[in-house]
Amino acid sequence: MQEILLSLLLFTPLLAALVSLFFPATAIQLFRYTTLVANIAQAFFLILLLGSYQNSAGLQFVEHQPWITMDLGSWGTLKAEYFIGIDGLSMPLVVLSVFIMLIATISSWTILKNVKGYFILLLILNTAIIGSFVALDFLLFYLFFEFMLLPMFFLIALWGGPRKEYASIKFFLYTLLGSILILIVMIGLNLSVHDPSISGQLVHSFNIIHMSSPINFISFSILDPHNAWQIGLYNARQWAFLLLFFGFAIKLPMVPFHTWLPDAHVEAPTPISVILAALLLKVGGYGLARIAFPIFPDATIYFGGFIGVMGVISIIYGGLNALSSKDLKRLIAYSSISHMGFVLLGFASLTAEGVVGSIYQMFSHGIISAMLFLLAGVLYDRTNNRMIANYSGLYSKMPWYAVMIIVAFFASMGLPGFSGFIAEIMVFLGAFKSNSVQGPLHESIAITATLGLVLAAAYYLWTLQRMFFGPFNLKGDITSDQMFDLNKREFIMLIPLAAAALFFGIYPQPMIAIIDPFAKHFAEFVIGAGKSLTLNP
Amino acid sequence: MADLKDKLELIGMSLSFFVPELVLIVGIILLIGIGLRKKQYPPLLTFLSLLLFSFSFLCYVFTWRIYVTPQKIFNGFLRSDDFSAFLKMLFDVAGILTVLMTWRKQKEQRYLPEYYALLFAIVLGAHLLVMSMNLIMVFISLELISISAYVLTGFSFSKKGAEGSMKYFLFGSVASAVMLYGFSMLYGLTGTLDFSSAEFIDHLLGKNSTLFFIAALMALAGFLYKIAAAPLHLWAPDVYEAAPMPIVAFFSVVPKLAGIGVLTKFILAINIFGQSAFDWQFIISLVSILSLTVGNFSALLQKNPKRLMAYSSIAQSGFLLAGVAAFLPQGVHFMLFYATVYMFVNFLVFVYLQYFESYGFSSLESFSGAGRTHVWPSILILIGFVSLTGLPPTAGFTAKFFVFSSLWEAYHLSGKNILLWLLIFGLLNTVVSLFYYLRIPYYTFIKEAESGTKTNFLAFENLLGFVLVLLVFVLFFYPGLLMGWINKINFVL
């Protein structure tokens, strides 16, 4: 059981999707509960997994099975494996995925249209997301990565709001463009990396662990670190890094590739918005830390300053846009962009603190943004209207709702006591320290980034003031009998999220203990390998 | 007398490599014979065609050994080798699938015996074309394909059909004439018609004359016309729109792959292992880029599913050419893999386009809401389109992945910038193609329409479609099944 625990966690939803396929479309409750059971089973497997997870042991629960082995004549052999495992980078994200998918399923009770199709797609999406967090073979990762697109596309396009078609196609084209950029590099890496475990013959490997070690590159291959090709301005490795970086940055999303996100969020149904913000964006950050940085450490150092600047631009531009948003969901979407900028900044600092901060930020943002989108959804369910200007003084009518929103806003702002604070403080520590330990970031970048905190306070407090305080008043065609406080199901979703945001803000140690060994190794490796490759190419 | 005896022996030997073609010839004669009778039984005709195509196919499966070693037959006019044998198998499978598609419409199709006979003629022409080593033989087999195709285009017996057929004929004749002119100049330059012979190569070695360039370019034009590569693609949309659905599916596979097969041989012959005075790799890459871009961008504007597929097939020609453009043995292997996947996926899509057409879905808008009433066909056609785009987990991804890796490698080996551009254009075009490939699924699933009655799941198309979808998945998860076989193919000039 121990050996296949991770696979069980991964494929339970897919199995549930297969089973659901055979239920009649009218059995609405059956689909809901099948999905819920699958989620709970996943949570059970996750608890077992956490029980025997050892913080300092690096990769564990590794499963290694041959998948594609193909003899290509003079080219040697092409080998792809079913290779999954979990470490300090993927563990927080897997925990987050299981948790958020459970909440999203509960939130999906409001979906009444074509329930069968919806839950089957949701289950497939679940496997794809967790799969991309645990896959350690590039081809396998790419399979899961691409496989997120189609279910997501249909979930937005079929169950979305009025401009769902525009939003879903925009989402699909942007992310596909990103994954094509990744595909180019994947092909190049496969041609350039060989599997050291098999001696005597040339085996082209997709193994990400092998790719992350400069000695496994074939001499004189196109991405060989000791003999990289010059193509135009940069050498082949730097180009490959840029392609990967932009590929994942679209997913993250980083300004200026973010424009798909507000549209997708505004049109998507609430549970899908939650998944999109809490999990899909994280795949971008995860891809950078798992693939782009360790495989091309030399290029990471070369472009580190640039990445940091892009992070700061995302933080500030996202914040400014949030400030000017008229739609509550759009505001939250822009605040997501702003928060994901911190992830970039932390990784770019290449310090243990910064990397811990980034991963912690991904985890914490997952929880907080899920809560924010659920709360926006609560309002939308009642009135079909999310315009901030249409509401005022909601506190008197919906006190519990207002309390929850205040908690979520403060958590997202990074107020001490909430998980966002820990994450952002770590990122800032890393970014300030970076220059002194020969990392790529200058202190001025970190100082500029603090502006993001001020902006966050501004747009959240201003929204609170406009919507929740002052005299009770509604505009548009909203009537006051539409406004009622949270119901039981909504409490069930929101309370655990609020509790998690608080718990990980007050007592971050368990999560940091998981992340820290990875972050330390990551920062040392990227700086060390990167410097040595740059100095003696 | 002894001379005659030798000749007879040679013919006898040649015939032993020629059994599948003989089967096809018997098929043509039988079908035309049956066509003379007043009363026909469509199921019998269909069954007969199915039997003969399967027989030809099984010939290759069971006697694969004898095709492995290259063997010149019929005085060097043809050559039997495993490269051509593999393509010929694909043609036979395409024939089988076309007959299966026709099966549903056999009662409505007028002149069914002639219809099948022409189908056999095209497959025979394709068989001969990929075996040809002689320019005359290339021309004759290409004309066998073309003339039969002109006639088949008109087999919907409508005004549109006549128009399409006429356009195809006029464009096609000009292309053939140009090609023949090119051949005649090549003959004048080299003194031989056998383009694999040492004589042919010796005369062209290092020949830096414009005449050679123009002659070869004209000859290429004929092949590029046949595979509908830009800028010689203009006929495709009209012909696709006019012809009956099974014929469109057939056209998008058999003449195209036959053209690619002979083009591969020809281009490698005139390239003379890179010793040619002209950069043919550049030309092929350029055509490939052009086909990809023109095909994909024109497809964006289409409102008719058949025209959309016509432009899609133009773009797919670009991908097939990209496999050839690597000029590597591995590139040719990957091209064959791509061709196989393309055939299955294309038939998958066309089976369902025909299915939907029979329910009156003839423009893209009319597909609105079909996802409710025709659940399984909509899902299966979606998988087909996803595979044509090249997304995992379908074989289309594997095929594109292979073609791109051979381009990477070719770029790495030769350092030619055009290959990098081809790679970039190919990848970006994948994004563009998604936009139109998802248009039909977009209408079926996302656009609402007043719902009709649900249709029965147990249709023949669903069985056929299911088998094809299974193949598409199997070739993704176990590409080694097919690739292992293709890798044993030894491409010789």
Side-chain angles (χ1 to χ4, degrees), chain A residues 450-463:
Chain A
T450 48
L451 221 89
L453 299 182
V454 182
L455 279 173
Y459 57 76
Y460 278 134
L461 291 177
W462 192 33
T463 310

mmCIF file with all atom_site columns, all heavy atoms in Angstrom, chain A residues 450-463:
data_model
loop_
_atom_site.group_PDB
_atom_site.id
_atom_site.type_symbol
_atom_site.label_atom_id
_atom_site.label_alt_id
_atom_site.label_comp_id
_atom_site.label_asym_id
_atom_site.label_entity_id
_atom_site.label_seq_id
_atom_site.pdbx_PDB_ins_code
_atom_site.Cartn_x
_atom_site.Cartn_y
_atom_site.Cartn_z
_atom_site.occupancy
_atom_site.B_iso_or_equiv
_atom_site.pdbx_formal_charge
_atom_site.auth_seq_id
_atom_site.auth_comp_id
_atom_site.auth_asym_id
_atom_site.auth_atom_id
_atom_site.pdbx_PDB_model_num
ATOM 1   N N   . THR A 1 450 ? 7.509   46.552 -1.667 1.00 0.00 ? 450 THR A N   1
ATOM 2   C CA  . THR A 1 450 ? 6.696   46.820 -0.477 1.00 0.00 ? 450 THR A CA  1
ATOM 3   C C   . THR A 1 450 ? 5.503   47.713 -0.798 1.00 0.00 ? 450 THR A C   1
ATOM 4   O O   . THR A 1 450 ? 4.507   47.707 -0.084 1.00 0.00 ? 450 THR A O   1
ATOM 5   C CB  . THR A 1 450 ? 7.530   47.510 0.621  1.00 0.00 ? 450 THR A CB  1
ATOM 6   O OG1 . THR A 1 450 ? 8.241   48.571 0.015  1.00 0.00 ? 450 THR A OG1 1
ATOM 7   C CG2 . THR A 1 450 ? 8.478   46.545 1.256  1.00 0.00 ? 450 THR A CG2 1
ATOM 8   N N   . LEU A 1 451 ? 5.625   48.465 -1.892 1.00 0.00 ? 451 LEU A N   1
ATOM 9   C CA  . LEU A 1 451 ? 4.502   49.274 -2.333 1.00 0.00 ? 451 LEU A CA  1
ATOM 10  C C   . LEU A 1 451 ? 3.259   48.428 -2.524 1.00 0.00 ? 451 LEU A C   1
ATOM 11  O O   . LEU A 1 451 ? 2.131   48.897 -2.342 1.00 0.00 ? 451 LEU A O   1
ATOM 12  C CB  . LEU A 1 451 ? 4.876   49.934 -3.659 1.00 0.00 ? 451 LEU A CB  1
ATOM 13  C CG  . LEU A 1 451 ? 4.441   51.375 -3.818 1.00 0.00 ? 451 LEU A CG  1
ATOM 14  C CD1 . LEU A 1 451 ? 5.544   52.262 -3.285 1.00 0.00 ? 451 LEU A CD1 1
ATOM 15  C CD2 . LEU A 1 451 ? 4.188   51.677 -5.281 1.00 0.00 ? 451 LEU A CD2 1
ATOM 16  N N   . GLY A 1 452 ? 3.472   47.162 -2.930 1.00 0.00 ? 452 GLY A N   1
ATOM 17  C CA  . GLY A 1 452 ? 2.356   46.251 -3.153 1.00 0.00 ? 452 GLY A CA  1
ATOM 18  C C   . GLY A 1 452 ? 1.511   46.091 -1.904 1.00 0.00 ? 452 GLY A C   1
ATOM 19  O O   . GLY A 1 452 ? 0.285   45.989 -1.978 1.00 0.00 ? 452 GLY A O   1
ATOM 20  N N   . LEU A 1 453 ? 2.156   46.095 -0.740 1.00 0.00 ? 453 LEU A N   1
ATOM 21  C CA  . LEU A 1 453 ? 1.413   45.922 0.510  1.00 0.00 ? 453 LEU A CA  1
ATOM 22  C C   . LEU A 1 453 ? 0.486   47.106 0.747  1.00 0.00 ? 453 LEU A C   1
ATOM 23  O O   . LEU A 1 453 ? -0.658  46.945 1.158  1.00 0.00 ? 453 LEU A O   1
ATOM 24  C CB  . LEU A 1 453 ? 2.390   45.792 1.678  1.00 0.00 ? 453 LEU A CB  1
ATOM 25  C CG  . LEU A 1 453 ? 3.340   44.596 1.613  1.00 0.00 ? 453 LEU A CG  1
ATOM 26  C CD1 . LEU A 1 453 ? 4.220   44.562 2.845  1.00 0.00 ? 453 LEU A CD1 1
ATOM 27  C CD2 . LEU A 1 453 ? 2.546   43.315 1.496  1.00 0.00 ? 453 LEU A CD2 1
ATOM 28  N N   . VAL A 1 454 ? 1.021   48.290 0.453  1.00 0.00 ? 454 VAL A N   1
ATOM 29  C CA  . VAL A 1 454 ? 0.210   49.490 0.641  1.00 0.00 ? 454 VAL A CA  1
ATOM 30  C C   . VAL A 1 454 ? -0.998  49.445 -0.281 1.00 0.00 ? 454 VAL A C   1
ATOM 31  O O   . VAL A 1 454 ? -2.131  49.725 0.116  1.00 0.00 ? 454 VAL A O   1
ATOM 32  C CB  . VAL A 1 454 ? 1.056   50.736 0.359  1.00 0.00 ? 454 VAL A CB  1
ATOM 33  C CG1 . VAL A 1 454 ? 0.245   51.984 0.593  1.00 0.00 ? 454 VAL A CG1 1
ATOM 34  C CG2 . VAL A 1 454 ? 2.317   50.718 1.206  1.00 0.00 ? 454 VAL A CG2 1
ATOM 35  N N   . LEU A 1 455 ? -0.737  49.061 -1.533 1.00 0.00 ? 455 LEU A N   1
ATOM 36  C CA  . LEU A 1 455 ? -1.831  48.987 -2.498 1.00 0.00 ? 455 LEU A CA  1
ATOM 37  C C   . LEU A 1 455 ? -2.890  48.003 -2.039 1.00 0.00 ? 455 LEU A C   1
ATOM 38  O O   . LEU A 1 455 ? -4.090  48.266 -2.122 1.00 0.00 ? 455 LEU A O   1
ATOM 39  C CB  . LEU A 1 455 ? -1.285  48.573 -3.858 1.00 0.00 ? 455 LEU A CB  1
ATOM 40  C CG  . LEU A 1 455 ? -0.661  49.679 -4.699 1.00 0.00 ? 455 LEU A CG  1
ATOM 41  C CD1 . LEU A 1 455 ? -0.004  49.104 -5.931 1.00 0.00 ? 455 LEU A CD1 1
ATOM 42  C CD2 . LEU A 1 455 ? -1.735  50.675 -5.103 1.00 0.00 ? 455 LEU A CD2 1
ATOM 43  N N   . ALA A 1 456 ? -2.431  46.837 -1.545 1.00 0.00 ? 456 ALA A N   1
ATOM 44  C CA  . ALA A 1 456 ? -3.383  45.812 -1.119 1.00 0.00 ? 456 ALA A CA  1
ATOM 45  C C   . ALA A 1 456 ? -4.263  46.365 -0.011 1.00 0.00 ? 456 ALA A C   1
ATOM 46  O O   . ALA A 1 456 ? -5.495  46.208 -0.038 1.00 0.00 ? 456 ALA A O   1
ATOM 47  C CB  . ALA A 1 456 ? -2.648  44.572 -0.645 1.00 0.00 ? 456 ALA A CB  1
ATOM 48  N N   . ALA A 1 457 ? -3.646  47.036 0.942  1.00 0.00 ? 457 ALA A N   1
ATOM 49  C CA  . ALA A 1 457 ? -4.432  47.631 2.025  1.00 0.00 ? 457 ALA A CA  1
ATOM 50  C C   . ALA A 1 457 ? -5.424  48.626 1.448  1.00 0.00 ? 457 ALA A C   1
ATOM 51  O O   . ALA A 1 457 ? -6.598  48.660 1.837  1.00 0.00 ? 457 ALA A O   1
ATOM 52  C CB  . ALA A 1 457 ? -3.508  48.312 3.013  1.00 0.00 ? 457 ALA A CB  1
ATOM 53  N N   . ALA A 1 458 ? -4.974  49.401 0.477  1.00 0.00 ? 458 ALA A N   1
ATOM 54  C CA  . ALA A 1 458 ? -5.842  50.431 -0.087 1.00 0.00 ? 458 ALA A CA  1
ATOM 55  C C   . ALA A 1 458 ? -7.064  49.820 -0.751 1.00 0.00 ? 458 ALA A C   1
ATOM 56  O O   . ALA A 1 458 ? -8.205  50.186 -0.448 1.00 0.00 ? 458 ALA A O   1
ATOM 57  C CB  . ALA A 1 458 ? -5.053  51.273 -1.086 1.00 0.00 ? 458 ALA A CB  1
ATOM 58  N N   . TYR A 1 459 ? -6.851  48.868 -1.666 1.00 0.00 ? 459 TYR A N   1
ATOM 59  C CA  . TYR A 1 459 ? -8.040  48.404 -2.384 1.00 0.00 ? 459 TYR A CA  1
ATOM 60  C C   . TYR A 1 459 ? -8.953  47.576 -1.509 1.00 0.00 ? 459 TYR A C   1
ATOM 61  O O   . TYR A 1 459 ? -10.176 47.624 -1.664 1.00 0.00 ? 459 TYR A O   1
ATOM 62  C CB  . TYR A 1 459 ? -7.714  47.722 -3.720 1.00 0.00 ? 459 TYR A CB  1
ATOM 63  C CG  . TYR A 1 459 ? -6.780  46.525 -3.739 1.00 0.00 ? 459 TYR A CG  1
ATOM 64  C CD1 . TYR A 1 459 ? -7.201  45.274 -3.325 1.00 0.00 ? 459 TYR A CD1 1
ATOM 65  C CD2 . TYR A 1 459 ? -5.490  46.652 -4.255 1.00 0.00 ? 459 TYR A CD2 1
ATOM 66  C CE1 . TYR A 1 459 ? -6.349  44.185 -3.394 1.00 0.00 ? 459 TYR A CE1 1
ATOM 67  C CE2 . TYR A 1 459 ? -4.635  45.562 -4.322 1.00 0.00 ? 459 TYR A CE2 1
ATOM 68  C CZ  . TYR A 1 459 ? -5.073  44.321 -3.892 1.00 0.00 ? 459 TYR A CZ  1
ATOM 69  O OH  . TYR A 1 459 ? -4.245  43.248 -3.965 1.00 0.00 ? 459 TYR A OH  1
ATOM 70  N N   . TYR A 1 460 ? -8.398  46.840 -0.560 1.00 0.00 ? 460 TYR A N   1
ATOM 71  C CA  . TYR A 1 460 ? -9.283  46.040 0.285  1.00 0.00 ? 460 TYR A CA  1
ATOM 72  C C   . TYR A 1 460 ? -10.075 46.922 1.247  1.00 0.00 ? 460 TYR A C   1
ATOM 73  O O   . TYR A 1 460 ? -11.287 46.760 1.390  1.00 0.00 ? 460 TYR A O   1
ATOM 74  C CB  . TYR A 1 460 ? -8.486  44.997 1.059  1.00 0.00 ? 460 TYR A CB  1
ATOM 75  C CG  . TYR A 1 460 ? -8.187  43.778 0.251  1.00 0.00 ? 460 TYR A CG  1
ATOM 76  C CD1 . TYR A 1 460 ? -6.911  43.209 0.222  1.00 0.00 ? 460 TYR A CD1 1
ATOM 77  C CD2 . TYR A 1 460 ? -9.194  43.154 -0.498 1.00 0.00 ? 460 TYR A CD2 1
ATOM 78  C CE1 . TYR A 1 460 ? -6.647  42.095 -0.522 1.00 0.00 ? 460 TYR A CE1 1
ATOM 79  C CE2 . TYR A 1 460 ? -8.930  42.028 -1.251 1.00 0.00 ? 460 TYR A CE2 1
ATOM 80  C CZ  . TYR A 1 460 ? -7.646  41.489 -1.268 1.00 0.00 ? 460 TYR A CZ  1
ATOM 81  O OH  . TYR A 1 460 ? -7.394  40.389 -2.002 1.00 0.00 ? 460 TYR A OH  1
ATOM 82  N N   . LEU A 1 461 ? -9.377  47.855 1.881  1.00 0.00 ? 461 LEU A N   1
ATOM 83  C CA  . LEU A 1 461 ? -10.087 48.693 2.848  1.00 0.00 ? 461 LEU A CA  1
ATOM 84  C C   . LEU A 1 461 ? -11.128 49.559 2.164  1.00 0.00 ? 461 LEU A C   1
ATOM 85  O O   . LEU A 1 461 ? -12.236 49.747 2.660  1.00 0.00 ? 461 LEU A O   1
ATOM 86  C CB  . LEU A 1 461 ? -9.083  49.561 3.628  1.00 0.00 ? 461 LEU A CB  1
ATOM 87  C CG  . LEU A 1 461 ? -8.193  48.760 4.570  1.00 0.00 ? 461 LEU A CG  1
ATOM 88  C CD1 . LEU A 1 461 ? -7.183  49.664 5.251  1.00 0.00 ? 461 LEU A CD1 1
ATOM 89  C CD2 . LEU A 1 461 ? -9.025  48.021 5.613  1.00 0.00 ? 461 LEU A CD2 1
ATOM 90  N N   . TRP A 1 462 ? -10.775 50.066 1.003  1.00 0.00 ? 462 TRP A N   1
ATOM 91  C CA  . TRP A 1 462 ? -11.703 50.913 0.272  1.00 0.00 ? 462 TRP A CA  1
ATOM 92  C C   . TRP A 1 462 ? -12.960 50.114 -0.107 1.00 0.00 ? 462 TRP A C   1
ATOM 93  O O   . TRP A 1 462 ? -14.091 50.586 -0.008 1.00 0.00 ? 462 TRP A O   1
ATOM 94  C CB  . TRP A 1 462 ? -11.007 51.477 -0.967 1.00 0.00 ? 462 TRP A CB  1
ATOM 95  C CG  . TRP A 1 462 ? -11.776 52.566 -1.635 1.00 0.00 ? 462 TRP A CG  1
ATOM 96  C CD1 . TRP A 1 462 ? -12.569 53.470 -1.002 1.00 0.00 ? 462 TRP A CD1 1
ATOM 97  C CD2 . TRP A 1 462 ? -11.826 52.853 -3.020 1.00 0.00 ? 462 TRP A CD2 1
ATOM 98  N NE1 . TRP A 1 462 ? -13.114 54.326 -1.936 1.00 0.00 ? 462 TRP A NE1 1
ATOM 99  C CE2 . TRP A 1 462 ? -12.676 53.970 -3.179 1.00 0.00 ? 462 TRP A CE2 1
ATOM 100 C CE3 . TRP A 1 462 ? -11.217 52.298 -4.150 1.00 0.00 ? 462 TRP A CE3 1
ATOM 101 C CZ2 . TRP A 1 462 ? -12.949 54.517 -4.433 1.00 0.00 ? 462 TRP A CZ2 1
ATOM 102 C CZ3 . TRP A 1 462 ? -11.478 52.837 -5.387 1.00 0.00 ? 462 TRP A CZ3 1
ATOM 103 C CH2 . TRP A 1 462 ? -12.344 53.950 -5.528 1.00 0.00 ? 462 TRP A CH2 1
ATOM 104 N N   . THR A 1 463 ? -12.738 48.858 -0.550 1.00 0.00 ? 463 THR A N   1
ATOM 105 C CA  . THR A 1 463 ? -13.877 48.022 -0.895 1.00 0.00 ? 463 THR A CA  1
ATOM 106 C C   . THR A 1 463 ? -14.738 47.743 0.327  1.00 0.00 ? 463 THR A C   1
ATOM 107 O O   . THR A 1 463 ? -15.971 47.790 0.254  1.00 0.00 ? 463 THR A O   1
ATOM 108 C CB  . THR A 1 463 ? -13.388 46.692 -1.490 1.00 0.00 ? 463 THR A CB  1
ATOM 109 O OG1 . THR A 1 463 ? -12.454 46.989 -2.506 1.00 0.00 ? 463 THR A OG1 1
ATOM 110 C CG2 . THR A 1 463 ? -14.531 45.899 -2.061 1.00 0.00 ? 463 THR A CG2 1
#
